[in-house]
DNA sequence: GTGGTCTAGACCACC
DNA sequence: GTGGTCTAGACCACG
């Protein structure tokens, strides 16, 4: 598995890992029941400590997106597409709320918020994987 | 000055302070040239360490929103309304980009992103100060 | 023999096997002297490794519930009903003690412990095989 | 804070720690808002690694029993007594269910389950802190 | 081979 | 001082 990691970010490494794996699961790029790379293998591949990958997987496990099977490794939890979409929507909504709230507090009104939202949609629509 | 601060949050205290002061400046609630509470007074009012307020003011100073006058304290930088709006727009845009990027990576398409964006606009429009 | 096994559980597979076989022996569902499925057959039936079944049988052997006869496989040890009951009581008691101890440490008093105990008895009395 | 830890148990150290701290919180022995020993201090006191204590606190934090305050340490979350009791009841109930289920599967009937339950209550009622 | 736990030691941001 | 993150290396149970 290929991940884009950087240590010049505020975001902890384990969070970068879990975020990117989560995106692939929710987007359906990883099939239900598909096995994830083992902790050790992924750690080696992306050049981080075993524990860092472990924390990332732990987080996804707690979210219910992946499951550890004894002695076999981690596997993508079976979920309906609508369940995946629902999770993605909730995450997006939760992330959006404070952004909109702060922009409003800084004096922007709804038409402005909309206009800029659309320009961001357009700017980024054609780009490759943004993670 | 009244600020809503909490120490059970991921956001550092100094950042909570600078964010709320910044919002008032950009929203025009603090007049150009108006003096800000002294570091010591604000620290006392909001019950945080002097150094925490200092750090918040430093951040705003670096952004150019406030200016220190030797021996007299900090003052709101004179800025045109369009300049303020431009700053707010840029901040909003920069905050929005990764949120939209991640939601797209998780499989949401533009109509979904729009729909949820509007529902967030509606949900939060009538609320009080969201900071 | 039909067993309910899952590898997404904290309980090791071999322990799930030995637990379910043990229950059938103590409940009298397996006759004294009855032969158990061979290690290989059971492993095939329930889709686990031979070594996993082996380990389960070893545990039961050590407990004296089953006995290996050279070249013939494993057989249920002959035991009186009262002996079986006594073993079941002891296991239950040993499992109960820490549960009660922890609940007490968390502030529950005896009437509460009793009330919840009875509600659990009622809740689960009509259920099917709980293993 | 004094904790009873043993490394000859199946239970991981961090779980022993969180379990004992949890019991004190739910039993009301630690007041709302009271500060817990710092991770480093407790680690030193009970002679385990800093990380082991950190995991224990992390678990309690996720359960909502304690909260980290930036730069100040961990504090007991304010909770009503009924909330505490409710949490203790749920934990007890969840722990009880599989114990009763297994005993039933091993052939014990309700009068037997009750009788032994009461004998366990009596046996352990006068004992000191069982953790 | 797999994940789970624990260790010692380090650096960072925050207060 | 505090907690948060990361590292390298170890041992264990499980399959």
């Amino acid at each position: 598995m290929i991940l884009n990691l950087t240590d010049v970010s505020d975001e902890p490494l384990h969070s970068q890992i879990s975020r990117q794996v989560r995106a692939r699961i929710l987007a359906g790029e990883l099939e239900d029941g598909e096995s994830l790379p083992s902790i050790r293998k992924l750690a080696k591949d992306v050049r981080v400590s075993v524990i860092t990958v472990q924390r990332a997987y732990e987080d996804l496990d707690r979210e219910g997106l992946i499951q550890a099977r004894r002695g076999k490794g981690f596997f993508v939890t079976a979920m309906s597409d609508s369940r995946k979409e629902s999770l993605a929507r909730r995450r997006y909504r939760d992330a959006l709320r404070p952004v909109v709230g702060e922009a409003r507090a800084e004096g922007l009104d709804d038409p402005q918020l909309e206009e800029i939202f659309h320009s961001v949609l357009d700017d980024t629509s054609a780009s490759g994987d943004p993670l």
Side-chain angles (χ1 to χ4, degrees), chain A:
Chain A
M1 176 162 338
I2 297 173
L3 301 175
N4 291 328
L5 302 184
T6 169
D7 52 4
V8 297
S9 158
D10 283 346
E11 189 181 16
L13 281 172
H14 68 83
S15 162
Q16 296 182 44
I17 295 171
S18 60
R19 180 170 49 75
Q20 292 179 39
V21 173
R22 182 190 301 111
R24 298 192 185 191
I25 292 174
L26 294 181
E29 294 169 24
L30 294 174
E31 304 271 331
D32 286 355
E34 189 171 341
S35 75
L36 293 167
S38 83
I39 286 179
R40 287 172 175 82
K41 179 173 188 315
L42 186 53
K44 201 170 182 182
D45 285 359
V46 300
R47 311 289 219 57
V48 300
S49 154
V50 168
I51 295 213
T52 303
V53 177
Q54 195 175 29
R55 289 212 57 170
Y57 277 14
E58 223 177 282
D59 290 345
L60 295 172
D61 194 350
R62 257 195 303 274
E63 292 178 33
L65 295 180
I66 67 177
Q67 289 175 313
R69 287 204 225 154
R70 312 192 59 83
K72 304 225 183 111
F74 284 88
F75 295 78
V76 177
T77 302
M79 270 183 304
S80 68
D81 285 356
S82 70
R83 170 83 180 132
K84 289 178 190 165
E85 186 190 315
S86 159
L87 289 174
R89 291 169 78 101
R90 154 172 288 229
R91 287 181 54 79
Y92 170 58
R93 171 183 282 266
D94 288 348
L96 207 50
R97 217 186 307 262
V99 171
V100 167
E102 181 168 358
R104 272 221 188 88
E106 292 176 358
L108 299 184
D109 58 26
D110 283 19
Q112 291 172 319
L113 295 178
E114 273 219 63
E115 174 216 325
I116 298 168
F117 172 74
H118 283 115
S119 83
V120 167
L121 274 196
D122 294 343
D123 279 4
T124 55
S125 62
S127 71
D129 191 327
L131 306 182

